[in-house]
Amino acid sequence: MDRTTDGASPGRRTLLKAIGATTAIPLVGGAGAAAQQGGGDGRGGDGRGDGDRGRDGDRNRCRQQGCIHPFSGFTVLPGEYGGIERPVSADYTVETHVELADAEAPCGGFMFDPAGLAVRPGETVLFEGVDNLANGRIAGDHTVTAYAEAFDRQRRIPEAATPFSSPMIGPEVSWLYRFEEPGVYDIYCGPHEELGMVMRVVVGDETATDFGETAMPSEENPDPTPIGPFGAANTVFANLDPEAIVENGAIPWSDDLCSSPS
Ligand SMILES: [Cu+2]
C-alpha cells in the first residue's frame, strides 16, 4: 500500500530521521528521490502516515505560502535561540510596546503601534517586540490573539478566517502572520487587553463590523456567551473606524484612542 516507505530501506529512513527529512531530499538519489516528487504518478491520497513523508508532509504542515501557520503564525527568535530565518520579509511592522512616559495615561502605555492597519489579502505583518529604552519604550510581554470562539471569546474576525494567536512575545522576539481573508480582524494582547492593548487590521475593502451583542461577566451572569472586549479595549475599538483605517492605511497609536469618542 505504501510504495514510498516500502521502497525506503530502513537505512534510508534512519538517515532521514538523523539529518532531517527536508535536508535529506537533495541527498537521496534514484527511485527514492523520484518517489518524493509526488504528483503525476497516480498515487493521490494513499493514507500514508506523516512520519516519513518528507516534502509531502512539509506541504501539509505549511498550508500557507512561506510556511506561516494559519493558527500559530511564525515566531522569529533572536539569534542566540537558534536564529531561524523568517520565511518571508514582512509587508508591514507593528510594534508591541510599553511606553514608559504613558504610565499615567488612560491605557497605561500598553500598545500596538500602529493600532489600525490596512493590508491586502495575502500580505504579512511582523509584530515586533524590540526593547528600546533609549526612546522610552520597552518591549514587555504580549500576545497577538484574534477574538474568536477558539479562545472563548466573541468572534471578531471574518467567518472564513482561521483563529490565531502568537505565543508570548518578549523582548527581541517577533511574530509573523499572513492575513488571507478579507474583512475586519480585532486583535488583543492576552495580558493587557483590559488596559486597551488591542488593534484592528482591515484586510482588503471589507469594513463591516457586525460582530453582534456581547455581555460582560457580572454577578448575575458570571459566564456570558460570547464574551466581548474587556475594559479599555472597548474604547479603543470605538475609536478605530475601519473606513478610516482603509483610507489612511494605518492609524498610529495615540493616547486619544483610549479616551471616549466625543
Ligand atoms: Cu500586552
Side-chain angles (χ1 to χ4, degrees), residues 110 141-142 189 191-192 197:
F110 293 84
D141 292 304
H142 314 282
C189 165
H192 307 124
M197 187 165 171

Side-chain angles (χ1 to χ4, degrees), residues 44-245:
D46 58 3
R48 287 176 299 146
D50 277 325
D52 292 298
R53 292 188 68 170
R55 190 174 293 168
D56 286 354
D58 287 344
R59 187 177 59 204
N60 286 347
R61 279 191 290 274
C62 295
R63 282 178 286 163
Q64 290 190 341
Q65 185 195 350
C67 293
I68 303 171
H69 196 278
F71 183 95
S72 51
F74 187 96
T75 304
V76 183
L77 295 170
E80 70 238 52
Y81 299 115
I84 300 167
E85 272 183 46
R86 67 182 75 161
V88 295
S89 59
D91 296 301
Y92 305 91
T93 298
V94 171
E95 297 182 353
T96 57
H97 276 301
V98 185
E99 183 94 45
L100 297 175
D102 281 2
E104 303 301 321
C107 278
F110 293 84
M111 66 187 69
F112 290 101
D113 189 16
L117 181 67
V119 308
R120 291 186 294 274
E123 287 189 317
T124 51
V125 180
L126 184 73
F127 297 85
E128 204 169 20
V130 177
D131 248 348
N132 194 345
L133 199 53
N135 73 359
R137 286 179 163 189
I138 58 169
D141 292 304
H142 314 282
T143 71
V144 181
T145 304
Y147 284 86
E149 305 92 326
F151 309 116
D152 272 338
R153 306 302 299 274
Q154 178 189 38
R155 187 178 186 89
R156 295 169 73 94
I157 60 175
E159 275 310 312
T162 303
F164 57 86
S165 184
S166 74
M168 196 72 85
I169 304 174
E172 306 305 332
V173 177
S174 302
W175 188 72
L176 190 59
Y177 194 73
R178 185 186 302 278
F179 291 87
E180 302 270 31
E181 302 294 336
V184 175
Y185 292 67
D186 282 354
I187 290 168
Y188 65 100
C189 165
H192 307 124
E193 175 195 10
E194 197 170 1
L195 293 168
M197 187 165 171
V198 293
M199 76 169 294
R200 177 167 274 173
V201 176
V202 183
V203 180
D205 299 319
E206 298 284 324
T207 54
T209 53
D210 43 354
F211 300 127
E213 292 297 307
T214 60
M216 287 297 102
S218 64
E219 240 171 68
E220 302 77 50
N221 186 8
D223 195 18
T225 306
I227 300 176
F230 276 96
N234 287 293
T235 310
V236 176
F237 283 130
N239 282 312
L240 287 173
D241 173 25
E243 310 261 343
I245 293 171

